[in-house]
Amino acid sequence: MMRTIKTTCCLLVLCLLVGCAGSQGSAYEKDLLVVGFSQLGSESDWRIANTQSMTQAFSEENGYELLFDNAKQKQENQLIAVRNFILQGVDIIVLAPDAETGWDNVLSEAKAAGIPVIIVDREVSVEDESLYLSSVGSDFLKEGRLAVDWLEKELARQGRNDEEIKILHIKGTDGATAQLMRTKAIEDGVLRQSLWTISAQLSGDFTEAKGYEVVRDYLKNDQDIDVIYSENDNMTFGAMRALDEAGLSYGENGDVIIISFDAVREALEYCLEGKINLCVECNPLHGPRVDELIRQYESGAEIPKQTYVEETYFTRSNLSLEIICNREY
Ligand code: GYE
């Protein structure tokens, strides 16, 4: 009995203490919306720009308290982060998922706790779509098709329609929407074009280090490459280094045509120099978009289930220093 009273007293003191600490400007008192954002990693320039856009949008001045978690490209870390957000009772969860699958359970838990979830950048593939409120990101299949259409036209322009074309394909993180759809586009292209072959599909995990490593190792056995189709800029930078070391030329005046995705500033600089032939744009500035969706949701308005961002592509001919300087990422 004594013990119970003692415990109760301790708890009371603890609660008062926590209460006091919390009262120095808790999110509740400041009327802030608490957002838990599970970011999948920091693997690329694109991702850094995305994190910056998101953290800027979820500032206190904008009415948010942000709980941020970087999962370091491990889905199990994201599952832990989302469960922590649920435990902490955040108002809303924003998830930038690593891979598409494996989310059903944790999203059901969020739903059961009454916490809405917004998916950003890549998509989730779940049986029950009511497990998330809305999804905003890029149409990765469209990006890939843009690249393939450009390649068809470029080869025609070079008068190489009757040539066999060997494509080295560097894939992003397996199972990520950006990988699945960009891969689908080039595989579809190869099915359509009887003279195209994919010599190899290497996994570069969207990082420069891995992109370099896999291409360097590949070039030890095969240097007969017409095209490199690289699913993001950082892997492209790694591939370019490997090509340099092997003494292979690439770009507008070189032997290997380089196609890259994201169009971050450094890639555009290479494109203007003629070292990358095509940069397909992928826009990472999702912060304001997610902010807008949350505001609409809070006001009780209908919000779209899926939103795709408008994107374009760059070659040396439609690029200028001015475009690069005015670029936000
Ligand atoms: O292309 C790549 C990043 O999911 C769109 O992930 C994103 C991709 C982007 O690591 O650079």
Side-chain angles (χ1 to χ4, degrees):
M1 182 67 183
M2 263 317 272
R3 225 145 125 210
T4 322
I5 292 172
K6 233 177 168 174
T7 316
T8 314
C9 287
C10 285
L11 278 177
L12 212 75
V13 172
L14 199 75
C15 287
L16 284 173
L17 282 175
V18 172
C20 284
S23 71
Q24 290 173 353
S26 67
Y28 179 73
E29 281 192 352
K30 290 187 190 164
D31 202 19
L32 299 174
L33 209 67
V34 183
V35 173
F37 174 38
S38 167
Q39 174 61 290
L40 67 93
S42 45
E43 72 285 358
S44 65
D45 292 7
W46 188 99
R47 187 67 50 199
I48 306 295
N50 176 247
T51 297
Q52 210 172 39
S53 168
M54 299 293 280
T55 48
Q56 266 166 17
F58 297 116
S59 64
E60 233 183 270
E61 304 85 77
N62 280 350
Y64 295 101
E65 177 177 315
L66 174 65
L67 308 183
F68 176 81
D69 185 87
N70 177 344
K72 307 200 168 77
Q73 281 187 291
K74 289 208 162 49
Q75 188 169 13
E76 57 270 31
N77 290 342
Q78 291 203 280
L79 298 177
I80 294 170
V82 173
R83 292 199 164 104
N84 275 333
F85 295 150
I86 296 171
L87 275 177
Q88 290 172 80
V90 299
D91 296 309
I92 196 149
I93 291 173
V94 179
L95 170 66
D98 189 34
E100 278 193 357
T101 54
W103 299 104
D104 298 78
N105 287 343
V106 80
L107 292 187
S108 302
E109 288 160 35
K111 189 177 180 187
I115 304 174
V117 177
I118 292 182
I119 309 295
V120 67
D121 166 26
R122 304 173 186 171
E123 293 167 31
V124 292
S125 159
V126 282
E127 291 224 335
D128 171 6
E129 290 210 330
S130 77
L131 293 183
Y132 63 89
L133 194 63
S134 187
S135 177
V136 56
S138 300
D139 185 339
F140 300 113
L141 186 58
K142 195 170 165 193
E143 290 177 356
R145 287 189 172 147
L146 226 140
V148 171
D149 289 351
W150 175 86
L151 181 60
E152 286 175 342
K153 290 199 189 93
E154 176 61 13
L155 290 169
R157 188 189 70 82
Q158 293 184 10
R160 297 169 72 185
N161 271 344
D162 302 330
E163 246 180 62
E164 285 199 10
I165 300 295
K166 298 198 176 87
I167 302 166
L168 180 61
H169 175 194
I170 313 172
K171 284 164 61 187
T173 305
D174 285 322
T177 318
Q179 177 274 313
L180 293 168
M181 294 298 111
R182 290 170 184 167
T183 294
K184 178 172 165 41
I186 189 65
E187 288 177 345
D188 287 351
V190 168
L191 287 179
R192 206 170 53 228
Q193 292 286 342
S194 56
L195 291 174
W196 294 10
T197 46
I198 295 180
S199 314
Q201 294 184 305
L202 312 173
S203 257
D205 212 11
F206 286 127
T207 71
E208 187 163 340
K210 204 75 201 295
Y212 165 71
E213 215 175 277
V214 292
V215 176
R216 179 200 59 196
D217 292 349
Y218 183 79
L219 293 177
K220 288 177 187 157
N221 298 313
D222 177 21
Q223 300 199 342
D224 185 12
I225 300 164
D226 297 300
V227 178
I228 287 189
Y229 179 93
S230 163
E231 291 179 359
N232 89 339
D233 287 338
N234 289 82
M235 297 190 300
T236 304
F237 303 152
M240 285 161 66
R241 184 147 62 92
L243 291 169
D244 284 337
E245 285 176 11
L248 299 182
S249 68
Y250 51 88
E252 296 235 331
N253 299 313
D255 291 332
V256 185
I257 293 175
I258 306 242
I259 295 176
S260 189
F261 291 85
D262 284 354
V264 297
R265 191 176 285 119
E266 191 179 345
L268 292 181
E269 283 165 5
Y270 285 130
C271 190
L272 193 61
E273 279 175 47
K275 289 186 174 167
I276 295 179
N277 300 68
L278 176 71
C279 285
V280 179
E281 183 180 54
C282 182
N283 190 313
L285 307 178
H286 295 314
R289 296 179 190 120
V290 179
D291 170 37
E292 184 54 32
L293 285 172
I294 294 176
R295 285 180 201 277
Q296 286 173 358
Y297 172 71
E298 289 285 302
S299 73
E302 273 269 316
I303 69 169
K305 195 74 189 175
Q306 177 74 53
T307 314
Y308 288 129
V309 180
E310 270 305 309
E311 290 164 340
T312 182
Y313 68 89
F314 299 97
T315 61
R316 187 144 77 145
S317 54
N318 71 353
L319 201 54
S320 67
L321 250 183
E322 201 191 342
I323 294 178
I324 299 178
C325 291
N326 291 329
R327 194 107 175 130
E328 289 177 82
Y329 54 95

